[in-house]
Amino acid sequence: MRGVVAGGHRLGRGVVRFVVVALAVLALAMAAVPRAPAADRTAAPPTPASQDEKLAQLLRQDPVYVSDQLPRSVPRSWQPKFAALARRTGVPTYVLVLPSLLSMDDSLLAGVHDRLGKPGLYVLMSDGSDLQAVAFGVNADADDAETVATFSTPYDASPLRLFQTFVDTVREGAAKAGSQADALEARMDKAHSKDGDGLVPPAYISDDDRDNQSFNTGALMLGAPLFVLLFGLYAIRLLRRRRRPAPHLLAKAPGRSGRLRTSLPRLAVVVVAAALAAAIGLIAPHVYDQTLDGPLVRPTHADLSARIDRVAAGLAHDPVYLDPESPSPFTGAQLTELEHRIAAFTPGQVYVAAVPMDLDDESMADPDAFLTALHRAVGKPGVYTVADTATGELGVDSWGLKLEPYPVPESITDIPVHDSDDHGFPQRYDRLMTFLGKVPHASQPTDNANDTSPEPLDDQHLAPLFSGEFGDGLTGGAGCVLILFLAVVACVALGRRLARARRARLEVPEAWTGLPSGVVPPSEAPAAPSAATLRRWAQHAVDALVAEFAAGDAAGRHPAAYECLDAALLLVDRAPNGRIGEHLAPADLVAAIVLATAGQEEVAGRSVKHVCEVNPLHGRATGRRTVRPAGRPARQTWVCAPCQARLRRSAADLADRWLRLPAKHGTTPYEQAPGALPHVSDGIAGLIAKVKEYAHVQ
């Protein structure tokens, strides 16, 4: 038994020694093998994919790719429309619709084709009127179709319409596309335009254009009728003033039918003005029939939230999100370093979204609005940043972290002066993480963000034509017409005054200016002289008769002439300097002319008993004849020789010779004037008696 036990102890010690030796050999073997983990630590981080490689990957999923970053101009929901047009080209067609700042590289399509490795017609479009096309291994005239589409489509048309023109040109064949392109280039050379400006008018008008249309409509709608109304009524008044007959020659007073005939022209002017206003109001909406200021875009809620949802989903797996449509602003090493610094930030998570910002995106290029929407989609506290890969701007906001409010230095957020392909984002994020690490901690979570919402969608509908500047147009049109009317009235009044003055000068016989003795009024004296003309005639006639009596004892030799002078002086009431006052009535001036002229006739030895009753300015009457003025009974009337000659035909021939005196409104027959002049029918002696009686009463 003891032997057995002893043998067992020896066996156990042998097993232990074997195990120890085996472990030692295994340890030596492991020490001799190279350490793989150490090699992994020194390996270079993977390099982010290039832009053309990422775009090629997108085209592998679908040959027509519409970016979700342009919902306000090219919604992603338009993708089926682009795809339907692409299928009409007849060749494999690959379409990329990207923000314009990401698609300016002419070599981008070649790089995408090299990565994709498939023949076809490659088209690159943006949110504007830019289109690039290259054909690789297919029978399609891409260059000429691109020229025709670019320069024959209005610059403000939608990208969908631009692509449709391109597709239609490709379908027409290379020959027709080439001829159209040559014609457009010839027109550009003739117009000295390098970019096709002016070849095709814009398809839409702006809000400013609509304001101008509203103003013009208002100005015409009130200005044109007001012009017709004012100038029409004024023209009628001028014509009637010229054609107005002597009131005493009317057959009878105008009755209802006469007043109606008088009012018809004015009524016609009012009707024409009203019809013109109504016509302008009806025609203007058909002339200015534009209703939109741009292509009608109606993005859906999914279009407006697609990019935010995409970025939020990416940030759920990685704190740094790189846009698949944009070149990466970070190398592999820079990206790894940024992720390490983010992981070491103890106050909370830092999120980086490297995406382009565009006026047509959901936020209208507002970093604060984009970050607000992104924070709501992610739903977690943290520092949210957006690196604008298009312009280089960097936006920073934070929510729910225990950090004191902090203003980020402008050297970090602003666009670098010396720009580069990566906009200096690696260095700027390094400074940002250093800055955030120095921000003092707070006892409670705070927000260091401007919570803003995206701008509302633009309404492409123009304002109604009869709104906006329409009221100002009404005021402006009326004001211009009134100013023009007043200017015309003033010019007409000035012209008439100058014409009256010239006519008055012509009406005064040349012999009167020298004040000779024996001067008599012309037998063809005007039928409607002006007050100024009568004043000058009276001045000359009275001064001539006064000069006769101042030369000697004419009063004793010509008592009848002295009576005429005495009566004439009573009428004119001359000032101490001998001038006749301007306040005298035209009837008194005519009576003074008649008496002074009769006195000169007496001095000359030709006695005057009666003067012409048709127009006393005609002078001596040669006989009496039966005159039957219109509307009055026939009577015996003293007439001069010329009037007597006119009576041989008919009494109506005297209508244009009957004396009319200027009145407040037009003229009036001299027989209806107050004073002594109507008594000229009683002869010179009767007129003298009435003048003295009239002067005594006065």
Side-chain angles (χ1 to χ4, degrees), residues 451-465:
D451 287 342
T452 59
S453 299
E455 292 289 334
L457 292 175
D458 291 337
D459 185 7
Q460 282 82 21
H461 289 86
L462 294 167
L465 183 62

Side-chain angles (χ1 to χ4, degrees), residues 509-517 519 540 544:
E510 183 179 356
W512 283 50
T513 58
L515 304 179
S517 60
V519 173
H540 291 313

